[in-house]
Coordinates of all heavy atoms in Angstrom, one line a residue:
I7 N 0.9 -1.2 0.0 CA 0.0 0.0 0.0 C 0.9 1.2 0.0 O 1.8 1.3 0.8 CB -0.9 0.0 1.2 CG1 -1.9 -1.1 1.1 CG2 -1.6 1.3 1.4 CD1 -2.8 -1.2 2.3
P8 N 0.7 2.2 -0.9 CA 1.5 3.4 -0.9 C 1.3 4.2 0.4 O 0.2 4.1 1.1 CB 0.9 4.2 -2.1 CG 0.0 3.3 -2.8 CD -0.3 2.1 -1.9
A9 N 2.3 4.9 0.8 CA 2.2 5.7 2.0 C 1.1 6.7 2.0 O 0.6 7.1 3.1 CB 3.5 6.4 2.2
T10 N 0.5 7.1 0.9 CA -0.5 8.1 0.8 C -1.9 7.5 0.9 O -2.9 8.2 1.0 CB -0.4 8.9 -0.5 OG1 -0.5 8.0 -1.6 CG2 0.9 9.7 -0.5
S11 N -2.0 6.2 0.8 CA -3.4 5.6 0.9 C -3.9 5.5 2.3 O -3.2 5.4 3.2 CB -3.4 4.2 0.2 OG -2.8 3.3 1.1
V12 N -5.2 5.7 2.4 CA -5.9 5.6 3.7 C -7.0 4.6 3.6 O -7.9 4.8 2.9 CB -6.5 7.0 4.1 CG1 -7.2 6.9 5.4 CG2 -5.4 8.1 4.1
P13 N -6.9 3.5 4.3 CA -7.9 2.5 4.3 C -9.2 3.0 4.9 O -9.2 3.8 5.8 CB -7.4 1.3 5.2 CG -5.9 1.6 5.4 CD -5.7 3.1 5.2
S14 N -10.3 2.6 4.3 CA -11.6 3.1 4.7 C -12.6 1.9 4.8 O -12.8 1.2 3.9 CB -12.2 4.1 3.7 OG -13.5 4.2 3.9
P15 N -13.2 1.6 6.0 CA -14.0 0.5 6.2 C -15.4 0.7 5.4 O -16.1 -0.3 5.3 CB -14.3 0.4 7.7 CG -13.8 1.6 8.3 CD -12.9 2.3 7.3
S16 N -15.7 1.8 4.9 CA -17.0 2.0 4.3 C -16.9 2.0 2.8 O -17.9 2.4 2.1 CB -17.7 3.3 4.8 OG -16.9 4.4 4.4
G17 N -15.8 1.6 2.2 CA -15.7 1.5 0.8 C -15.0 2.7 0.2 O -14.3 3.4 0.9
S18 N -15.2 3.0 -1.0 CA -14.5 4.1 -1.7 C -15.1 5.4 -1.2 O -16.3 5.6 -1.3 CB -14.7 4.0 -3.2 OG -14.0 5.1 -3.8
V19 N -14.3 6.3 -0.6 CA -14.8 7.5 0.0 C -14.2 8.7 -0.8 O -13.0 8.7 -1.1 CB -14.3 7.6 1.4 CG1 -14.7 8.9 2.1 CG2 -14.8 6.5 2.2
P20 N -15.1 9.6 -1.2 CA -14.6 10.8 -1.9 C -13.5 11.5 -1.1 O -13.7 11.7 0.1 CB -15.8 11.7 -2.1 CG -17.0 10.8 -1.9 CD -16.5 9.7 -1.0
G21 N -12.4 11.8 -1.7 CA -11.3 12.5 -1.0 C -10.3 11.5 -0.4 O -9.2 11.9 0.0
A22 N -10.6 10.2 -0.4 CA -9.6 9.3 0.1 C -8.6 9.0 -1.0 O -8.9 9.1 -2.2 CB -10.3 8.0 0.5
A23 N -7.4 8.7 -0.6 CA -6.3 8.5 -1.6 C -6.5 7.3 -2.4 O -6.1 7.2 -3.5 CB -5.0 8.5 -0.8
A24 N -7.1 6.2 -1.9 CA -7.3 5.0 -2.6 C -8.6 4.3 -2.1 O -9.0 4.5 -1.0 CB -6.1 4.1 -2.4
P25 N -9.2 3.4 -2.9 CA -10.3 2.7 -2.4 C -9.9 1.7 -1.3 O -8.8 1.3 -1.2 CB -10.8 1.9 -3.7 CG -9.7 2.0 -4.6 CD -8.9 3.1 -4.3
F26 N -10.9 1.4 -0.5 CA -10.6 0.5 0.6 C -10.3 -0.9 0.1 O -10.9 -1.5 -0.7 CB -11.8 0.4 1.5 CG -11.7 -0.6 2.6 CD1 -10.8 -0.4 3.7 CD2 -12.4 -1.7 2.6 CE1 -10.7 -1.3 4.7 CE2 -12.3 -2.7 3.7 CZ -11.5 -2.4 4.7
R27 N -9.2 -1.5 0.7 CA -8.8 -2.8 0.4 C -8.6 -3.4 1.8 O -7.7 -3.0 2.5 CB -7.6 -3.0 -0.4 CG -7.8 -2.5 -1.8 CD -6.6 -2.9 -2.7 NE -5.4 -2.9 -2.0 CZ -4.2 -2.6 -2.5 NH1 -4.1 -2.2 -3.7 NH2 -3.1 -2.7 -1.7
P28 N -9.3 -4.5 2.2 CA -9.1 -5.0 3.5 C -7.7 -5.5 3.7 O -7.1 -6.2 2.8 CB -10.1 -6.2 3.6 CG -11.1 -6.0 2.5 CD -10.4 -5.1 1.5
L29 N -7.1 -5.2 4.8 CA -5.7 -5.5 5.1 C -5.7 -6.7 6.1 O -4.7 -6.9 6.7 CB -4.9 -4.3 5.6 CG -4.9 -3.2 4.6 CD1 -4.2 -2.0 5.3 CD2 -4.1 -3.6 3.4
F30 N -6.8 -7.3 6.3 CA -6.9 -8.4 7.3 C -7.9 -9.4 6.8 O -8.6 -9.1 5.8 CB -7.3 -7.8 8.7 CG -8.6 -7.0 8.6 CD1 -9.8 -7.5 8.6 CD2 -8.4 -5.6 8.4 CE1 -11.0 -6.7 8.5 CE2 -9.6 -4.8 8.3 CZ -10.8 -5.4 8.3
N31 N -7.9 -10.6 7.4 CA -8.9 -11.6 7.1 C -9.4 -12.2 8.3 O -8.8 -11.9 9.4 CB -8.3 -12.6 6.1 CG -7.1 -13.4 6.7 OD1 -7.2 -13.8 7.8 ND2 -6.1 -13.6 5.9
D32 N -10.3 -13.0 8.2 CA -10.9 -13.7 9.4 C -10.2 -14.9 9.8 O -10.7 -15.7 10.6 CB -12.4 -14.0 9.2 CG -13.2 -12.7 9.0 OD1 -12.8 -11.7 9.6 OD2 -14.2 -12.7 8.3
F33 N -9.1 -15.2 9.2 CA -8.4 -16.5 9.3 C -7.1 -16.4 9.9 O -6.2 -17.2 9.7 CB -8.4 -17.3 8.0 CG -9.7 -17.4 7.4 CD1 -10.1 -16.7 6.3 CD2 -10.7 -18.3 7.9 CE1 -11.3 -16.8 5.7 CE2 -11.9 -18.4 7.4 CZ -12.3 -17.6 6.3
G34 N -6.8 -15.4 10.7 CA -5.5 -15.3 11.4 C -5.3 -13.9 11.8 O -6.2 -13.0 11.7
P35 N -4.1 -13.6 12.4 CA -3.8 -12.3 12.8 C -3.7 -11.3 11.7 O -3.4 -11.7 10.6 CB -2.5 -12.4 13.5 CG -1.9 -13.6 12.9 CD -3.0 -14.5 12.5
P36 N -4.1 -10.0 12.0 CA -4.0 -9.0 10.9 C -2.6 -8.8 10.5 O -1.7 -8.7 11.3 CB -4.6 -7.8 11.5 CG -4.5 -8.0 13.0 CD -4.5 -9.5 13.2
S37 N -2.3 -8.7 9.2 CA -1.0 -8.4 8.6 C -0.8 -6.9 8.4 O 0.3 -6.4 8.4 CB -0.8 -9.2 7.3 OG -1.6 -8.6 6.3
M38 N -1.9 -6.2 8.2 CA -2.0 -4.8 8.0 C -1.2 -4.3 6.8 O -1.4 -3.2 6.4 CB -1.5 -4.0 9.3 CG -2.2 -4.4 10.5 SD -4.0 -4.5 10.4 CE -4.4 -2.9 10.0
G39 N -0.4 -5.1 6.1 CA 0.2 -4.7 4.9 C 1.2 -3.7 5.0 O 1.6 -3.0 4.0
Y40 N 1.7 -3.4 6.2 CA 2.7 -2.3 6.4 C 4.1 -2.9 6.6 O 4.2 -4.0 7.2 CB 2.4 -1.4 7.6 CG 1.1 -0.7 7.5 CD1 0.3 -0.5 8.6 CD2 0.7 -0.2 6.2 CE1 -0.8 0.2 8.5 CE2 -0.5 0.5 6.1 CZ -1.2 0.7 7.3 OH -2.4 1.4 7.2
V41 N 5.1 -2.2 6.1 CA 6.5 -2.6 6.5 C 6.8 -1.9 7.8 O 6.5 -0.8 8.1 CB 7.4 -2.0 5.4 CG1 8.9 -2.3 5.8 CG2 7.1 -2.6 4.0
Q42 N 7.3 -2.7 8.7 CA 7.5 -2.2 10.1 C 8.4 -1.0 10.1 O 9.4 -0.9 9.4 CB 8.2 -3.3 10.9 CG 7.3 -4.4 11.3 CD 6.2 -4.0 12.3 OE1 6.4 -3.1 13.1 NE2 5.1 -4.6 12.2
G43 N 8.0 0.0 10.8 CA 8.8 1.2 10.9 C 8.7 2.2 9.7 O 9.5 3.1 9.6
S44 N 7.8 1.9 8.8 CA 7.8 2.7 7.6 C 7.2 4.1 7.8 O 7.6 5.1 7.2 CB 7.1 2.0 6.4 OG 5.8 1.8 6.7
Q45 N 6.2 4.2 8.6 CA 5.5 5.4 8.9 C 4.6 5.3 10.2 O 4.4 4.2 10.6 CB 4.7 6.0 7.8 CG 3.3 5.4 7.6 CD 2.6 6.0 6.5 OE1 3.1 6.2 5.4 NE2 1.3 6.4 6.8
S46 N 4.2 6.4 10.7 CA 3.3 6.4 11.9 C 2.0 5.7 11.6 O 1.4 6.0 10.5 CB 3.2 7.8 12.4 OG 2.3 7.8 13.5
S47 N 1.4 5.0 12.5 CA 0.1 4.4 12.4 C -1.0 5.3 12.9 O -2.1 5.0 12.7 CB 0.1 3.1 13.2 OG 1.0 2.2 12.7
Y48 N -0.6 6.4 13.6 CA -1.6 7.2 14.2 C -2.6 7.9 13.2 O -3.8 7.8 13.4 CB -1.0 8.3 15.1 CG -0.3 7.7 16.3 CD1 1.1 7.6 16.4 CD2 -1.1 7.3 17.4 CE1 1.7 7.1 17.5 CE2 -0.5 6.7 18.5 CZ 0.9 6.6 18.5 OH 1.5 6.1 19.6
P49 N -2.1 8.4 12.1 CA -3.0 9.0 11.1 C -4.0 7.9 10.5 O -5.1 8.2 10.3 CB -2.1 9.5 10.0 CG -0.8 9.7 10.6 CD -0.7 8.7 11.7
D50 N -3.4 6.7 10.3 CA -4.3 5.6 9.8 C -5.4 5.3 10.9 O -6.6 5.1 10.5 CB -3.5 4.3 9.6 CG -2.5 4.5 8.4 OD1 -2.8 5.4 7.6 OD2 -1.5 3.8 8.4
L51 N -5.0 5.2 12.1 CA -6.0 4.9 13.2 C -7.1 6.0 13.2 O -8.3 5.7 13.3 CB -5.3 4.8 14.5 CG -6.2 4.6 15.7 CD1 -7.0 3.3 15.6 CD2 -5.3 4.6 17.0
L52 N -6.7 7.3 13.1 CA -7.6 8.4 13.1 C -8.6 8.3 11.9 O -9.8 8.5 12.1 CB -6.9 9.7 13.1 CG -6.1 10.0 14.4 CD1 -5.4 11.4 14.2 CD2 -7.0 10.1 15.6
S53 N -8.1 7.9 10.8 CA -8.9 7.7 9.6 C -9.9 6.6 9.8 O -11.1 6.7 9.4 CB -8.1 7.4 8.4 OG -7.3 8.5 8.1
V54 N -9.5 5.5 10.3 CA -10.4 4.3 10.6 C -11.5 4.7 11.6 O -12.6 4.4 11.3 CB -9.6 3.1 11.0 CG1 -10.5 2.0 11.5 CG2 -8.7 2.6 9.9
I55 N -11.1 5.4 12.6 CA -12.1 5.8 13.6 C -13.1 6.8 13.0 O -14.3 6.7 13.3 CB -11.4 6.4 14.8 CG1 -10.6 5.4 15.6 CG2 -12.4 7.1 15.8 CD1 -9.7 5.9 16.7
E56 N -12.6 7.7 12.2 CA -13.5 8.6 11.5 C -14.5 7.9 10.6 O -15.7 8.2 10.6 CB -12.7 9.6 10.7 CG -13.6 10.7 10.0 CD -12.8 11.7 9.2 OE1 -11.6 11.7 9.4 OE2 -13.4 12.4 8.4
E57 N -14.1 6.9 9.9 CA -14.9 6.1 9.0 C -15.9 5.3 9.8 O -17.1 5.1 9.4 CB -14.1 5.3 8.0 CG -13.3 6.0 7.0 CD -14.2 6.9 6.1 OE1 -15.3 6.4 5.7 OE2 -13.9 8.1 5.9
M58 N -15.5 4.7 10.9 CA -16.3 3.9 11.8 C -17.5 4.8 12.3 O -18.6 4.3 12.4 CB -15.6 3.4 13.0 CG -14.7 2.2 12.6 SD -13.5 1.7 13.9 CE -14.6 1.7 15.4
G59 N -17.2 6.1 12.6 CA -18.3 6.9 13.1 C -19.4 7.1 12.1 O -20.6 7.3 12.5
K60 N -19.1 7.0 10.8 CA -20.1 7.1 9.7 C -21.1 5.9 9.7 O -22.1 6.0 9.1 CB -19.5 7.3 8.4 CG -18.7 8.6 8.3 CD -18.0 8.7 7.0 CE -17.1 10.0 7.0 NZ -16.3 10.0 5.7
E61 N -20.6 4.8 10.3 CA -21.4 3.6 10.3 C -22.4 3.4 11.5 O -23.2 2.6 11.5 CB -20.5 2.4 10.2 CG -19.5 2.3 9.0 CD -20.2 2.4 7.7 OE1 -21.4 2.0 7.6 OE2 -19.5 2.8 6.7
I62 N -22.2 4.3 12.5 CA -23.0 4.1 13.7 C -24.5 4.3 13.4 O -25.3 3.5 13.8 CB -22.5 5.1 14.8 CG1 -21.0 4.9 15.1 CG2 -23.4 5.1 16.0 CD1 -20.7 3.6 15.8
R63 N -24.9 5.4 12.8 CA -26.3 5.7 12.6 C -27.0 4.6 11.8 O -28.0 4.1 12.1 CB -26.5 7.1 12.0 CG -28.0 7.5 12.0 CD -28.1 8.9 11.7 NE -27.6 9.7 12.8 CZ -27.6 11.1 12.8 NH1 -28.1 11.7 11.8 NH2 -27.1 11.7 13.8
P64 N -26.4 4.2 10.6 CA -27.0 3.2 9.8 C -27.1 1.8 10.6 O -28.1 1.1 10.4 CB -26.1 3.0 8.6 CG -25.4 4.3 8.5 CD -25.2 4.8 9.9
T65 N -26.2 1.6 11.5 CA -26.2 0.4 12.3 C -27.4 0.4 13.2 O -28.2 -0.6 13.3 CB -24.9 0.2 13.1 OG1 -23.8 0.1 12.2 CG2 -25.0 -1.0 13.9
Y66 N -27.6 1.6 13.8 CA -28.8 1.7 14.7 C -30.1 1.6 13.9 O -31.1 1.1 14.4 CB -28.8 3.0 15.4 CG -28.0 3.0 16.7 CD1 -26.9 3.9 16.9 CD2 -28.3 2.1 17.7 CE1 -26.2 3.9 18.0 CE2 -27.5 2.1 18.9 CZ -26.5 3.0 19.0 OH -25.7 3.0 20.2
A67 N -30.1 2.0 12.7 CA -31.3 1.9 11.8 C -31.5 0.5 11.3 O -32.5 0.2 10.6 CB -31.2 2.8 10.6
G68 N -30.6 -0.5 11.6 CA -30.8 -1.9 11.3 C -30.0 -2.3 10.0 O -30.3 -3.4 9.5
S69 N -29.1 -1.5 9.5 CA -28.4 -1.9 8.3 C -27.4 -3.0 8.6 O -26.4 -2.8 9.4 CB -27.6 -0.7 7.7 OG -26.7 -1.1 6.7
K70 N -27.6 -4.2 8.0 CA -26.7 -5.3 8.3 C -25.3 -5.0 7.7 O -24.3 -5.4 8.2 CB -27.2 -6.6 7.7 CG -28.6 -7.0 8.2 CD -28.4 -7.7 9.6 CE -29.7 -8.2 10.0 NZ -29.7 -8.6 11.4
S71 N -25.3 -4.4 6.5 CA -24.0 -4.1 5.8 C -23.2 -3.1 6.6 O -22.0 -3.2 6.8 CB -24.2 -3.7 4.4 OG -25.0 -2.5 4.3
A72 N -23.9 -2.1 7.2 CA -23.2 -1.1 8.0 C -22.6 -1.8 9.3 O -21.5 -1.5 9.7 CB -24.1 0.0 8.4
M73 N -23.4 -2.7 9.8 CA -22.9 -3.4 11.0 C -21.7 -4.2 10.7 O -20.7 -4.2 11.5 CB -24.0 -4.4 11.5 CG -23.6 -5.1 12.8 SD -24.9 -6.1 13.5 CE -25.2 -7.3 12.2
E74 N -21.6 -4.9 9.5 CA -20.5 -5.7 9.1 C -19.3 -4.7 8.9 O -18.1 -5.1 9.3 CB -20.7 -6.5 7.9 CG -21.7 -7.6 8.2 CD -21.2 -8.6 9.2 OE1 -20.0 -9.0 9.2 OE2 -22.0 -9.0 10.1
R75 N -19.5 -3.6 8.3 CA -18.4 -2.6 8.0 C -17.9 -2.1 9.4 O -16.7 -1.9 9.6 CB -18.8 -1.5 7.1 CG -19.0 -1.9 5.7 CD -19.2 -0.7 4.8 NE -20.4 0.1 5.1 CZ -21.6 -0.1 4.6 NH1 -21.7 -1.0 3.7 NH2 -22.6 0.7 5.0
L76 N -18.8 -1.9 10.3 CA -18.4 -1.4 11.6 C -17.5 -2.5 12.3 O -16.5 -2.2 12.9 CB -19.6 -1.0 12.5 CG -19.4 -0.4 13.8 CD1 -18.5 0.9 13.7 CD2 -20.7 -0.1 14.5
K77 N -18.0 -3.7 12.3 CA -17.2 -4.8 12.9 C -15.8 -4.9 12.3 O -14.8 -5.0 13.0 CB -17.9 -6.1 12.7 CG -19.1 -6.3 13.6 CD -19.7 -7.7 13.3 CE -21.0 -7.9 14.1 NZ -21.6 -9.2 13.7
R78 N -15.7 -4.8 10.9 CA -14.4 -4.9 10.3 C -13.5 -3.6 10.7 O -12.3 -3.8 10.9 CB -14.5 -4.9 8.8 CG -15.0 -6.3 8.3 CD -14.8 -6.4 6.8 NE -15.5 -5.4 6.0 CZ -16.7 -5.4 5.5 NH1 -17.4 -6.5 5.7 NH2 -17.2 -4.4 4.8
G79 N -14.2 -2.5 10.8 CA -13.5 -1.3 11.2 C -12.9 -1.4 12.7 O -11.8 -1.0 12.9
I80 N -13.7 -2.1 13.5 CA -13.3 -2.3 14.9 C -12.0 -3.2 14.9 O -11.0 -2.9 15.6 CB -14.4 -2.8 15.8 CG1 -15.5 -1.8 16.0 CG2 -13.9 -3.4 17.1 CD1 -16.7 -2.3 16.6
I81 N -12.1 -4.3 14.1 CA -11.0 -5.2 14.1 C -9.7 -4.5 13.5 O -8.6 -4.6 14.1 CB -11.3 -6.4 13.1 CG1 -12.4 -7.2 13.8 CG2 -10.1 -7.2 12.8 CD1 -13.0 -8.3 12.9
H82 N -9.9 -3.7 12.5 CA -8.8 -2.9 11.9 C -8.3 -1.9 13.0 O -7.0 -1.8 13.1 CB -9.3 -2.2 10.7 CG -8.3 -1.6 9.8 ND1 -8.5 -1.0 8.6 CD2 -6.9 -1.5 10.0 CE1 -7.4 -0.5 8.1 NE2 -6.4 -0.8 8.9
A83 N -9.2 -1.2 13.7 CA -8.7 -0.2 14.7 C -7.9 -0.9 15.8 O -6.9 -0.3 16.3 CB -9.9 0.6 15.2
R84 N -8.4 -2.0 16.2 CA -7.7 -2.8 17.3 C -6.3 -3.1 16.9 O -5.3 -2.9 17.7 CB -8.4 -4.0 17.7 CG -9.7 -3.8 18.4 CD -10.5 -5.0 18.7 NE -9.7 -5.9 19.6 CZ -10.0 -7.1 19.9 NH1 -11.0 -7.7 19.3 NH2 -9.3 -7.8 20.7
A85 N -6.1 -3.5 15.6 CA -4.8 -3.9 15.1 C -3.9 -2.6 15.0 O -2.7 -2.6 15.4 CB -4.9 -4.5 13.8
L86 N -4.5 -1.5 14.6 CA -3.7 -0.2 14.5 C -3.4 0.3 15.9 O -2.3 0.8 16.1 CB -4.5 0.8 13.8 CG -4.6 0.6 12.3 CD1 -5.6 1.6 11.6 CD2 -3.3 0.7 11.6
V87 N -4.2 0.1 16.9 CA -3.9 0.5 18.3 C -2.7 -0.3 18.7 O -1.8 0.2 19.3 CB -5.1 0.3 19.2 CG1 -4.7 0.3 20.7 CG2 -6.2 1.3 18.9
R88 N -2.7 -1.6 18.4 CA -1.5 -2.4 18.8 C -0.2 -1.9 18.1 O 0.8 -1.8 18.8 CB -1.7 -3.9 18.4 CG -2.7 -4.6 19.4 CD -2.7 -6.1 19.2 NE -3.1 -6.5 17.8 CZ -4.4 -6.8 17.5 NH1 -5.3 -6.7 18.5 NH2 -4.7 -7.2 16.3
E89 N -0.3 -1.5 16.9 CA 0.8 -1.0 16.1 C 1.2 0.3 16.8 O 2.4 0.6 16.9 CB 0.5 -0.7 14.7 CG 0.4 -2.0 13.9 CD 0.2 -1.7 12.4 OE1 0.4 -0.5 12.0 OE2 -0.1 -2.6 11.7
C90 N 0.3 1.2 17.1 CA 0.6 2.5 17.8 C 1.3 2.3 19.1 O 2.3 3.0 19.4 CB -0.6 3.3 18.0 SG -1.4 3.9 16.4
L91 N 0.8 1.3 19.9 CA 1.5 1.0 21.2 C 2.9 0.5 20.9 O 3.8 0.9 21.7 CB 0.7 0.0 21.9 CG -0.6 0.5 22.5 CD1 -1.5 -0.7 23.1 CD2 -0.4 1.5 23.6
A92 N 3.1 -0.4 20.0 CA 4.4 -0.9 19.7 C 5.3 0.3 19.2 O 6.5 0.3 19.6 CB 4.4 -2.0 18.6
E93 N 4.8 1.1 18.4 CA 5.6 2.3 17.9 C 5.9 3.2 19.1 O 7.1 3.7 19.1 CB 4.7 3.1 16.9 CG 5.4 4.2 16.2 CD 4.5 4.9 15.2 OE1 3.7 4.2 14.5 OE2 4.6 6.1 15.1
T94 N 5.0 3.4 20.0 CA 5.3 4.2 21.2 C 6.4 3.6 22.0 O 7.3 4.3 22.5 CB 4.0 4.4 22.0 OG1 3.0 5.0 21.2 CG2 4.3 5.3 23.2
E95 N 6.4 2.3 22.2 CA 7.4 1.6 22.9 C 8.8 1.7 22.3 O 9.8 2.0 22.9 CB 7.1 0.1 23.1 CG 5.9 -0.2 24.0 CD 6.2 0.1 25.4 OE1 7.4 -0.2 25.8 OE2 5.4 0.5 26.2
R96 N 8.8 1.6 20.9 CA 10.1 1.7 20.2 C 10.6 3.2 20.3 O 11.8 3.3 20.6 CB 9.8 1.4 18.7 CG 9.8 0.0 18.4 CD 9.9 -0.3 16.9 NE 8.9 0.4 16.1 CZ 7.6 0.0 15.8 NH1 7.3 -1.2 16.2 NH2 6.8 0.7 15.1
N97 N 9.7 4.1 20.2 CA 10.2 5.5 20.3 C 10.6 5.9 21.7 O 11.5 6.7 21.9 CB 9.0 6.5 19.9 CG 8.7 6.4 18.5 OD1 9.6 6.0 17.7 ND2 7.6 6.9 18.1
A98 N 10.1 5.2 22.8 CA 10.4 5.5 24.1 C 11.9 4.9 24.4 O 12.6 5.5 25.3 CB 9.4 4.9 25.1
R99 N 12.2 3.9 23.7 CA 13.6 3.3 23.9 C 14.7 4.1 23.2 O 15.8 3.9 23.5 CB 13.6 1.9 23.4 CG 12.9 0.9 24.4 CD 13.0 -0.5 23.9 NE 11.7 -1.0 23.7 CZ 11.3 -1.8 22.7 NH1 12.2 -2.2 21.8 NH2 10.1 -2.2 22.6
T100 N 14.3 4.9 22.2 CA 15.4 5.6 21.5 C 15.6 7.0 22.0 O 15.0 7.5 22.8 CB 15.0 5.8 20.0 OG1 13.8 6.5 19.9 CG2 14.9 4.4 19.4

């Protein structure tokens, strides 16, 4: 994934650098598709959280697809939080 792309759990979003491509699967740990240490995970995490917010209202309205996108977004966000914590630990040691 190019450094300028921003994954989006709700599909192709106007203004996003690239269409959403899942970086994880349901059959193992998330790979996230990043090279370790290539760039900060914080902007990616903020983007995922922002996109998840757009799925809340449709989920309450009963949209099954929005619920699935929200679930995938949560999984993605959890993996990014782990990356951010690891990045913080690495930065604290240097």
Side-chain angles (χ1 to χ4, degrees):
I7 293 178
T10 59
S11 71
V12 178
S14 163
S16 64
S18 183
V19 176
F26 175 69
R27 290 189 333 211
L29 300 175
F30 50 86
N31 62 43
D32 294 332
F33 305 105
S37 67
M38 304 314 297
Y40 296 145
V41 176
Q42 287 294 330
S44 64
Q45 80 174 48
S46 176
S47 300
Y48 293 104
D50 295 333
L51 178 58
L52 294 176
S53 295
V54 169
I55 291 170
E56 183 178 344
E57 291 301 316
M58 286 169 45
K60 297 175 184 175
E61 304 300 340
I62 300 293
R63 189 169 293 181
T65 299
Y66 276 121
S69 170
K70 300 280 187 197
S71 59
M73 181 176 60
E74 290 302 315
R75 286 190 300 269
L76 185 57
K77 284 180 184 178
R78 286 194 306 269
I80 291 169
I81 292 167
H82 192 175
R84 288 176 65 191
L86 286 172
V87 165
R88 285 192 296 269
E89 284 186 18
C90 290
L91 288 171
E93 185 177 324
T94 301
E95 290 289 324
R96 283 192 304 273
N97 290 341
R99 284 186 238 140
T100 58

